[in-house]
Amino acid sequence: MGGATGGVPVGVTAAMVSPAGQLRSAVGRFGVYGGRYVPETLMAALEELEAAYAEAQKDPAFQAELDDLLHNYCGRPTPLYYAKRLSENLGGAKIYFKREDLLHTGAHKINNALGQGLLAQRMGKKRIIAETGAGQHGVATATVCALLGMECVIYMGEEDMRRQEPNVYRMRLLGAEVRGVSAGSATLKDAISEAMRDWVTNVRSTFYILGSALGAHPYPMMVRDFHRVISREAKKQILEQEGKLPTAIVACVGGGSNAIGAFYEFIDDANVQLIGVEAGGRGTAVGEHAARFMKNGGGSPGVLQGTYSYVLQDEAGQIALTHSVSAGLDYASVGPEHAMLHDSGRATYTLATDDEALKAVVTLARTEGILPALESAHAVAEAIKLAPKMAKTDVLMVNLSGRGDKDMGILVKELDLKRVEAKG
Amino acid sequence: MPIEFKKKPGLVAYLTAGDPDLATTRDIALAAIDNGADVIELGVPFSDPLADGPVIQRASERAVAKGTTLTDVLALAKEIRAARPQAGLILFSYLNPVLRLGMKDFCARAAEAGADGVLLTDMIVEEAGEYLEAMNANKLAPVFLAAPTSPDVRLKAIAEASQGFVYAISRVGITGTQSSLTGDASQVVTRLRQFTELPIAVGFGISNAQHVRAVGEFADAAVVGSALVQLIEKTPRGQEAEAVGRFVAELRG
């Protein structure tokens, strides 16, 4: 185990078809969502990328190289860890953590950055650009560029550079150039726009390693495919450890890459509940949260940055500002496949507030000795709410998408300011 | 009011509506028309203009901050149409504000306002089914962008889907001024010409009279955007229309 392919057939057709063989999307569509809404200048590059990706998927050598690096360089497979103390304290379901936080660079992001980096190398592109919110995708991309000897430019909102400063230093240490973006709210959305402006300008030489299951086709599909390894491993592991599938899987949803990776191989297992957790921020008014699926929260279908999905926007179609204590969830739109899963009811989406996420960090740190990223802490917060309502025979799997070292500055400030009390 | 470029090269003037305010945009548009602009592209300001450079980004930000909406821009289009029945008038927008209003509703209201056509920056021909249907139902001209990176097969589809004129992007990149034109511009026009009899307008980086003349060597019209928007930004309040009028006259030579 530990490969990106496992025993599941891959290829363009397989990528568009669910594991049960049901047609899921024809032209980069997830139900009505997805598609391609970009300036014409990018279309040739997207078509080139789509063709190169399809070809790479069919090439056993590409898959073998990716599998080898995921195993020997990144540390896959990641453990599926039974959190005994936390489960017992909560008095309900058995909680398992899929430990993506233990991957090289500290988050699931490396799965995709490595896949796209190898693809860029295969396409002969020497210059890499990427956006980053929390800095985890930026660090993963900078790491892959160092490994493969490629030039790397990372766009990051200035607000995010401030609050995730350790990751800025990590990227620079790895040899990447970090370019601050001051437009808009100076967060992830603005970093993506600036990365797209760079790509449209340098499209002939540059590969854009998009970090979430967002953007124009083929990105949402390709990013999802590179993260499918999470659920492929988890399914095998939970069957080994529990002899049954989980009752529910919980993952945080910013753009939605870790969540779609954790959900994907379970989509056709109708009895497995899929629960995405959005950032509830500090209030329900537009601008105070990043919960695209929240009722009356300002989210509705629209087009942002290349894809048709749920978008937080005003009545005139201007994109709303967002807030979350976690930079990685602080985004006005969401991956189009999640929009489809939301509408069909196959997955449900809930939220955790800033305070709940901060509290969950402390709880997990003191109960299990695990310091989760603030993003992942949103999923932990939901598990803390949910587990006590479940039976002791139920299994609740949480995708622990990243580790929290990067958040130390925020934690020191927020926990002190807000005096969050945590019970060990 | 068919889109016509009587004197070659024709001139298309892009303005971000609502910068500095809607009434001034109207005065600027009229001054541009009176001094020789054949077509006004009325830009709908958007919060996230990812195809635009810093000049139009700043203008959009100012206009959005003032609360300028697509509905306001439609009302402005109607005023310009009433004041200058002979000028070409194109609505230029990112897709999301249009989707929010509703594609059919938007096209009906654009036609009612007297617009001749529409250009949606992030709408590619493959996704345009519903859009083209609503445009045709309202006898509006869809104008698509053609890029130097577009292969011939795409240029053909773009030429076939466009009416009024085709907008050829002069170079890879975002909007903004530049000191000289690249070879990309004439190449994309030459390749487009194989597929269409429609006028071809060249835009992105066309900043002065010399550029306009250079475009006239190989295309039917030049689109001037960022240079105008930058002039509006730099000009003291109240003098924008006059300044733009003078600049357009200069571009016309």
Side-chain angles (χ1 to χ4, degrees):
Chain A
M1 200 48 209
T5 56
V8 180
V10 289
V12 167
T13 311
M16 300 191 308
V17 169
S18 74
Q22 176 194 8
L23 189 67
R24 186 160 282 146
S25 72
V27 282
R29 290 280 167 184
F30 303 93
V32 298
Y33 299 106
R36 270 178 179 161
Y37 300 96
V38 291
E40 172 63 22
T41 306
L42 290 180
M43 275 309 296
L46 286 168
E47 287 176 343
E48 183 193 8
L49 174 61
E50 186 181 16
Y53 176 57
E55 196 191 292
Q57 279 186 307
K58 283 185 233 151
D59 180 356
F62 178 83
Q63 292 297 338
E65 187 178 10
L66 179 57
D67 289 356
D68 177 68
L69 285 169
L70 284 173
H71 179 59
N72 294 310
Y73 183 69
C74 300
R76 299 214 74 92
T78 57
L80 184 70
Y81 166 71
Y82 170 44
K84 187 161 177 283
R85 283 196 75 213
L86 181 66
S87 303
E88 285 175 2
N89 281 3
L90 293 170
K94 291 178 82 170
I95 298 173
Y96 280 83
F97 287 114
K98 180 62 175 163
R99 297 294 306 275
E100 294 295 295
D101 61 315
L102 293 178
L103 271 182
H104 182 43
T105 70
H108 72 291
K109 293 291 187 188
I110 192 87
N111 298 325
N112 168 58
L114 189 59
Q116 289 196 46
L118 291 176
L119 190 58
Q121 190 181 49
R122 188 185 169 90
M123 291 169 74
K125 306 273 183 184
K126 300 263 192 285
R127 180 175 182 269
I128 300 294
I129 58 168
E131 86 296 341
T132 196
Q136 289 302 121
H137 175 60
V139 167
T141 303
T143 298
V144 168
C145 288
L147 178 70
L148 302 178
M150 298 192 284
E151 183 190 345
C152 182
V153 175
I154 304 290
Y155 289 93
M156 188 171 190
E158 286 180 353
E159 166 64 13
D160 291 342
M161 287 177 73
R162 191 188 55 71
R163 56 182 169 168
Q164 306 278 219
E165 199 177 28
N167 275 344
V168 176
Y169 295 138
R170 287 171 79 193
M171 288 184 268
R172 287 181 177 151
L173 184 65
L174 289 158
E177 181 191 341
V178 182
R179 292 187 186 167
V181 180
S182 60
S185 52
T187 57
L188 179 58
K189 168 172 73 69
D190 312 295
I192 294 176
S193 286
E194 207 53 38
M196 289 185 79
R197 290 185 187 113
D198 181 316
W199 198 29
V200 93
T201 304
N202 302 294
V203 63
R204 289 170 172 135
S205 67
T206 297
F207 189 107
Y208 180 16
I209 300 189
L210 186 53
S212 197
L214 298 168
H217 178 67
Y219 282 106
M221 171 186 87
M222 181 171 69
V223 175
R224 191 259 334 270
D225 288 350
F226 285 132
H227 286 303
R228 273 171 77 171
V229 64
I230 301 172
S231 50
R232 194 175 299 130
E233 285 175 9
K235 195 168 195 173
K236 185 164 174 263
Q237 290 165 322
I238 199 70
L239 287 172
E240 280 165 9
Q241 296 180 48
E242 284 290 332
K244 63 178 181 186
L245 295 177
T247 315
I249 299 168
V250 179
C252 66
V253 183
S257 67
N258 93 81
I260 202 69
F263 291 171
Y264 197 72
E265 298 291 333
F266 296 96
I267 287 175
D268 290 316
D269 300 308
N271 292 329
V272 178
Q273 291 176 57
L274 307 175
I275 302 166
V277 187
E278 298 186 284
R282 59 191 169 204
T284 55
V286 173
E288 297 296 306
H289 63 85
R292 291 68 43 112
F293 295 126
M294 179 169 72
K295 276 213 172 98
N296 305 317
S300 60
V303 165
L304 178 64
Q305 296 172 333
T307 194
Y308 181 57
S309 184
Y310 278 71
V311 181
L312 289 165
Q313 56 182 316
D314 70 13
E315 283 178 7
Q318 305 294 354
I319 308 306
L321 295 181
T322 53
H323 165 81
S324 170
V325 70
S326 118
L329 305 186
D330 197 352
Y331 182 62
S333 186
V334 61
E337 195 160 12
H338 286 292
M340 179 187 74
L341 293 172
H342 170 269
D343 283 10
S344 72
R346 178 62 193 92
T348 53
Y349 294 84
T350 180
L351 58 83
T353 63
D354 285 355
D355 283 345
E356 287 168 337
L358 286 162
K359 211 164 170 176
V361 169
V362 180
T363 302
L364 192 63
R366 295 185 184 169
T367 314
E368 294 288 347
I370 296 171
L371 174 57
L374 276 168
E375 290 74 22
S376 322
H378 285 71
V380 176
E382 173 61 18
I384 290 170
K385 284 184 233 175
L386 200 57
K389 298 179 207 160
M390 296 169 74
K392 293 201 175 192
T393 50
D394 285 341
V395 171
L396 182 56
M397 192 184 105
V398 179
N399 195 36
L400 208 63
S401 55
R403 71 179 189 218
D405 311 51
K406 70 183 176 65
D407 297 318
M408 206 47 65
I410 302 173
L411 294 171
V412 167
K413 182 169 158 263
E414 295 287 332
L415 295 176
D416 184 45
L417 281 175
K418 299 193 173 172
R419 298 186 190 287
V420 173
E421 296 294 331
K423 288 172 188 160
Chain B
M1 310 132 276
I3 293 162
E4 266 189 283
F5 301 109
K6 290 183 195 105
K7 181 189 158 201
K8 298 289 166 75
L11 188 66
V12 180
Y14 168 92
L15 300 170
T16 299
D19 175 45
D21 57 52
L22 288 159
T24 308
T25 305
R26 182 200 57 214
D27 294 345
I28 293 170
L30 302 188
I33 294 165
D34 295 345
N35 285 280
D38 300 290
V39 175
I40 298 293
E41 276 183 357
L42 209 48
V44 178
F46 183 52
S47 53
D48 296 81
L50 60 80
D52 286 301
V55 171
I56 294 177
Q57 282 180 53
R58 287 197 301 272
S60 295
E61 203 171 308
R62 288 190 295 266
V64 170
K66 283 203 165 252
T68 312
T69 65
L70 176 53
T71 307
D72 294 332
V73 181
L74 286 163
L76 174 62
K78 196 170 187 171
E79 282 187 53
I80 295 171
R81 168 55 68 225
R84 297 293 182 276
Q86 82 287 2
L89 189 55
I90 300 281
L91 294 169
F92 191 105
S93 184
Y94 286 84
L95 183 53
N96 198 57
V98 169
L99 287 179
R100 184 68 186 192
L101 193 61
M103 188 61 84
K104 279 185 186 165
D105 201 18
F106 164 73
C107 289
R109 289 169 71 170
E112 196 263 320
D116 300 303
V118 174
L119 193 160
L120 298 176
T121 315
D122 44 359
M123 175 65 89
I124 55 163
V125 282
E126 288 91 331
E127 302 281 6
E130 188 198 345
Y131 167 58
L132 290 177
E133 215 170 279
M135 291 289 285
N136 286 334
N138 289 284
K139 300 191 168 54
L140 289 167
V143 177
F144 283 90
L145 297 168
T149 48
S150 308
D152 282 358
V153 61
R154 295 194 60 80
L155 291 184
K156 183 167 188 285
I158 288 162
E160 283 167 2
S162 294
Q163 293 174 38
F165 64 97
V166 186
Y167 187 135
I169 300 174
S170 71
R171 53 166 158 76
V172 294
I174 51 180
T175 60
T177 56
Q178 64 187 2
S179 52
S180 61
L181 288 175
T182 71
D184 276 354
S186 61
Q187 273 188 33
V188 67
V189 171
T190 306
R191 290 196 296 125
L192 254 179
R193 189 51 80 205
Q194 307 170 73
F195 307 114
T196 186
E197 302 283 304
L198 286 175
I200 298 172
V202 172
F204 281 40
I206 313 297
S207 321
N208 56 40
Q210 190 198 335
H211 291 167
V212 173
R213 277 197 302 278
V215 165
E217 302 285 316
F218 57 86
D220 303 295
V223 187
V224 179
S226 294
L228 279 170
V229 174
Q230 193 160 31
L231 176 64
I232 293 163
E233 184 179 50
K234 283 195 211 153
T235 302
R237 289 298 307 270
Q239 299 169 33
E240 296 95 340
E242 197 194 335
V244 166
R246 269 200 310 272
F247 182 55
V248 169
E250 198 182 295
L251 292 174
R252 268 307 197 184

